[in-house]
Amino acid sequence: MISLIDTDGDCVLHEEFLARACADDFFERIRERAVWRRPKLRMFGRTLRAPRLAAWHGDAGARYAYSGALHLPRPWFGALRELRARIEAHTGARFNSVLLNYYRDGDDALGWHSDDEPELAPGAPIASLSLGAPRRFLLRHKRRKDLACAVELRHGALLVMRGETQTHWRHALPRTKRPVGARINLTFRRIESGARAG
Ligand SMILES: O=C(O)CCC(=O)C(=O)O
């Protein structure tokens, strides 16, 4: 099923982008092979550890500054290349990098933000693939308090965020008290110019 998320038509969710067995296989291969780190976050003058693991893979020049630090890409590996090819064929877009987040359980989360760093190619879509336990994903408009929505991202679902989504909306993956298993999210991105440190 394909649903339009209520963000001016710029966000589309493909709930069964990957069949279950195929999603299971990618989950295991990526969990094993990605180079996971627990990023440091700089907030209110303090350095904290992010409540999740993350990995950054991509073409050699795709340097990306997020969570207050510069990240150099680890190389693509088989499962990431296969997924990139499928997602490029589906979206018609080209991606040179992927940010992976690994939520070990319901205590792991990602706070409100937009993917609007200057090194991201302007107007390029971001394709977000979910593997593992379903989690609620929230979107809220930056200025209009009346505009907000929530969607459950399940195993094998692809959320494509195009157009002005990152300009006008923030998104988050909140903690949950429900007992949930591990989840991996991959956001395929296009970096235009390598970020600089500092
Ligand atoms: O885990 C998710 O679904 C959200 C990931 C996300 O917002 C990001 O990587 O910027």
Side-chain angles (χ1 to χ4, degrees), residues 99 101 103 110 113 115 128 137 153 171 173 183 185 187 189:
L99 177 63
N101 283 303
Y103 307 90
L110 183 56
H113 68 285
D115 297 323
S128 165
F137 180 79
L153 296 180
H171 53 268
L173 193 101
R183 169 176 185 267
N185 174 262
T187 43
R189 297 158 189 249

Side-chain angles (χ1 to χ4, degrees), residues 56 59-66 69-73 96-97 117-121 190-198:
W56 175 243
D59 294 356
R63 296 183 301 170
Y64 190 25
Y66 63 89
L70 178 69
H71 299 269
L72 303 178
N96 60 6
S97 46
E117 291 82 5
E119 59 269 34
L120 289 169
R190 177 141 204 97
I191 298 287
E192 199 168 66
S193 54
R196 288 190 194 88

Side-chain angles (χ1 to χ4, degrees), residues 126-191:
I126 292 181
S128 165
L129 181 79
S130 292
L131 299 171
R135 293 285 294 262
R136 251 159 59 90
F137 180 79
L138 309 180
L139 286 143
R140 73 178 180 211
H141 198 274
K142 289 186 186 174
R143 288 175 310 283
R144 290 199 41 194
K145 301 286 173 230
D146 55 322
L147 292 182
C149 54
V151 60
E152 191 169 65
L153 296 180
R154 302 205 184 103
H155 192 39
L158 181 71
L159 176 68
V160 183
M161 298 182 271
R162 293 185 185 270
E164 309 235 297
T165 313
Q166 309 300 333
T167 312
H168 297 310
W169 296 78
R170 289 193 179 85
H171 53 268
L173 193 101
R175 286 198 167 83
T176 176
K177 290 197 187 317
R178 277 186 302 123
V180 291
R183 169 176 185 267
I184 294 173
N185 174 262
L186 302 95
T187 43
F188 287 84
R189 297 158 189 249
R190 177 141 204 97
I191 298 287

